[in-house]
Amino acid sequence: MRLRLVFAASRRWRAVGASTRRRRRSVARRRIRGVDGAAAAARATLTRDRAGERTPSTRETHSHERRSQVMSLALGINLQQPGSAQDAGTAPPPPQPPKKEPEPEPEPEIERTPEEQKAYDQKQLALAHKAKGNAAYKKRDFDAALKHYDDAIAADPGDVTYRNNKCAVHFEKKDYESVLSEGREAIKVGREHRADYELVHKIYVRMGKAKMKQGDLEGALEEFNNAQVEHRDKATERLVKNLEMDIKKKKREAYIDPAKALEEKEKGNVKFREGKFSESVPFYEEAMKRDPKNPAYPNNLAAALTKLGNFAAAKQACEKALELDEKYVKAIAKKGDLEMLMKEYHKAIETYKKGLTIEPANAACKQGLQRVQTAIYNEGGDKGRAEQAMKDPEIQAILQDPMVRQVIQDLSGGNGAAGQQAMNDPVMRGKIEKLIASGVLQTK
């Protein structure tokens, strides 16, 4: 009984096993057929891509990768190609064929008459000589450069460019006379052949610089002005302005003659002693031009202008003398006198004290200081003088000082002891005295 059961189970197992195996084989065949179709489609796609028919999209690439993975698992082989998305992450784009640059179109042949062809050939020959001349010029082989430029002129005599190049060579050789002669010839030829205005401008400028090197400043200025007529240029305009200043300076220096200045001064003194003050002024002015560094002449001019009542101009003459010699006490005393006449007492006191610092025994400064102090005491509160002083920036600055205002308040009836103590300071005392001298501050 036991054996029968085992046999029966074996038969059932064989029946079930055969059925299962048939079903599995059928599924496997269908699966293989599907895989084979997918593989064929994938291979066809790869073939088209490699042939350059089209570039697969991102979606197609991913689909192809999934199919390849399925086939690899089903067939047990690796269908991924080296350098594919599986290996490198992204599929490289197919190489693009190099772009061919368009070939330049051949220049159209220009039909020339025999005369035109000859002129063209001569022009090309001249340019070749010019190029050789430029190369020699850069090497500072000036003789070779001149020869090539001469050959260029012989080939094309109507073009003044080569003559301008010769001017540049002569300038470097410091042969300024040749620059001028070659430049004049170049301009003459340029006029005949209607040369470019800017080129003619350059020739004039080089001629002007050559004359500057020769010391002929006025001749150089003429050449620069001629250049500006041809072609306006800012650089040349600056040359003109600088040259004009140099010419004026040179004329002033050439005019200097101390001996003649002394003669003019004596003529002015004669007129001054005769009481002809207005006639003495031109002689003193001429003396200043002949010897502009002598402080005595502007001081003499100040004396004549003072007699004429022109105090402001006389004071300027004194200041001119002090610019030349700040310790010239005669001019200092004269300036103090003028400030007193102009009722600028606070300035006069300061000026006289400055003179006494340099010469303590100077009589003019001593007497001037006494006069101005007496005038301050006698005039007292001069309203007009105070108003004039208020326009002085120095007086305005003193009045705006809060310490000065406090001292004035203390001395005016406030804390008198504090005011007197503040007056012991020489700086503060000088400021208060200056306010009193100007008439702004009055004493009782």
Side-chain angles (χ1 to χ4, degrees), residues 56-110:
S57 64
T58 303
R59 183 174 180 181
E60 291 173 342
T61 302
H62 290 170
S63 176
H64 167 66
E65 290 176 0
R66 288 196 297 273
R67 289 196 297 268
S68 297
Q69 291 173 359
V70 171
M71 288 188 291
S72 297
L73 292 174
L75 300 177
I77 61 175
N78 184 14
L79 297 179
Q80 297 291 332
Q81 298 296 324
S84 63
Q86 182 72 13
D87 297 330
T90 56
Q96 297 291 333
K99 294 182 179 180
K100 294 183 179 179
E101 295 183 359
E103 296 181 359
E105 297 182 0
E107 294 183 0
E109 295 184 1
I110 301 176

Side-chain angles (χ1 to χ4, degrees), residues 398-436 441-443:
I398 293 173
L399 289 173
Q400 291 174 1
D401 188 342
M403 296 182 66
V404 173
R405 297 175 70 88
Q406 182 62 45
V407 172
I408 294 174
Q409 184 177 352
D410 292 340
L411 293 174
S412 300
N415 191 345
Q420 292 297 331
Q421 185 177 359
M423 291 292 287
N424 293 330
D425 181 7
V427 176
M428 181 59 69
R429 188 179 189 86
K431 291 181 178 180
I432 296 299
E433 288 179 350
K434 188 169 290 188
L435 291 177
I436 293 173
L441 192 62
Q442 300 178 13
T443 58

Side-chain angles (χ1 to χ4, degrees), residues 44-322:
T45 302
L46 287 173
T47 302
R48 287 194 302 272
D49 293 344
R50 290 173 183 171
E53 293 181 1
R54 66 184 182 89
T55 302
S57 64
T58 303
R59 183 174 180 181
E60 291 173 342
T61 302
H62 290 170
S63 176
H64 167 66
E65 290 176 0
R66 288 196 297 273
R67 289 196 297 268
S68 297
Q69 291 173 359
V70 171
M71 288 188 291
S72 297
L73 292 174
L75 300 177
I77 61 175
N78 184 14
L79 297 179
Q80 297 291 332
Q81 298 296 324
S84 63
Q86 182 72 13
D87 297 330
T90 56
Q96 297 291 333
K99 294 182 179 180
K100 294 183 179 179
E101 295 183 359
E103 296 181 359
E105 297 182 0
E107 294 183 0
E109 295 184 1
I110 301 176
E111 295 182 359
R112 299 185 180 92
T113 63
E115 292 79 6
E116 291 174 343
Q117 185 64 40
K118 182 179 179 181
Y120 176 79
D121 293 340
Q122 290 296 105
K123 184 69 174 178
Q124 297 304 311
L125 179 61
L127 291 175
H129 283 301
K130 177 191 174 187
K132 293 178 182 179
N134 291 347
Y137 178 83
K138 290 178 181 178
K139 295 178 182 178
R140 302 190 70 79
D141 187 358
F142 297 134
D143 292 336
L146 287 173
K147 181 180 181 305
H148 287 300
Y149 291 142
D150 284 333
D151 292 339
I153 292 171
D156 187 9
D159 193 338
V160 298
T161 303
Y162 317 126
R163 298 183 185 276
N164 185 41
N165 292 341
K166 285 187 66 178
C167 289
V169 175
H170 290 311
F171 192 90
E172 289 296 325
K173 293 179 68 176
K174 298 182 180 180
D175 186 359
Y176 303 123
E177 283 298 329
S178 296
V179 173
L180 297 175
S181 60
E182 193 68 47
R184 283 190 285 268
E185 183 65 23
I187 292 172
K188 178 182 176 182
V189 173
R191 300 290 189 212
E192 294 174 355
H193 293 82
R194 297 183 180 181
D196 182 67
Y197 294 125
E198 189 171 355
L199 180 57
V200 177
H201 167 95
K202 291 180 180 179
I203 298 171
Y204 272 124
V205 169
R206 185 165 279 116
M207 292 172 63
K209 290 180 178 180
K211 288 189 176 181
M212 284 182 66
K213 292 292 185 180
Q214 292 179 329
D216 184 6
L217 300 185
E218 293 184 354
L221 181 61
E222 182 181 358
E223 300 296 348
F224 290 149
N225 287 328
N226 290 336
Q228 290 294 80
V229 172
E230 299 293 331
H231 173 73
R232 200 77 181 172
D233 180 74
K234 289 185 178 180
T236 308
E237 186 176 352
R238 288 193 294 270
L239 282 174
V240 169
K241 290 181 179 179
N242 293 334
L243 190 56
E244 287 174 343
M245 290 190 293
D246 292 341
I247 291 173
K248 290 180 181 179
K249 182 180 178 181
K250 187 177 179 180
K251 287 182 177 179
R252 286 196 302 268
E253 292 175 351
Y255 200 71
I256 293 174
D257 188 341
K260 290 184 178 180
L262 186 58
E263 292 177 4
E264 296 298 323
K265 176 204 169 187
E266 293 301 330
K267 293 177 183 178
N269 289 346
V270 171
K271 296 295 182 182
F272 188 90
R273 285 191 289 268
E274 293 175 354
K276 299 176 180 180
F277 306 119
S278 60
E279 295 181 14
S280 68
V281 169
F283 292 109
Y284 291 138
E285 290 176 341
E286 182 66 18
M288 290 173 62
K289 292 177 183 178
R290 290 289 185 179
D291 191 0
K293 293 185 178 180
N294 192 328
Y297 302 147
N299 191 55
N300 292 338
L301 177 63
L305 293 172
T306 301
K307 292 294 185 180
L308 294 172
N310 192 348
F311 301 145
K315 186 178 177 180
Q316 289 179 358
C318 289
E319 290 172 348
K320 177 64 177 178
L322 292 174

Side-chain angles (χ1 to χ4, degrees), residues 333-352:
K334 181 69 66 179
K335 181 184 175 186
D337 294 343
L338 288 165
E339 289 169 341
M340 184 174 176
L341 290 171
M342 297 168 73
K343 293 193 174 183
E344 295 176 346
Y345 295 156
H346 59 293
K347 292 183 179 180
I349 290 175
E350 186 176 352
T351 300
Y352 289 134

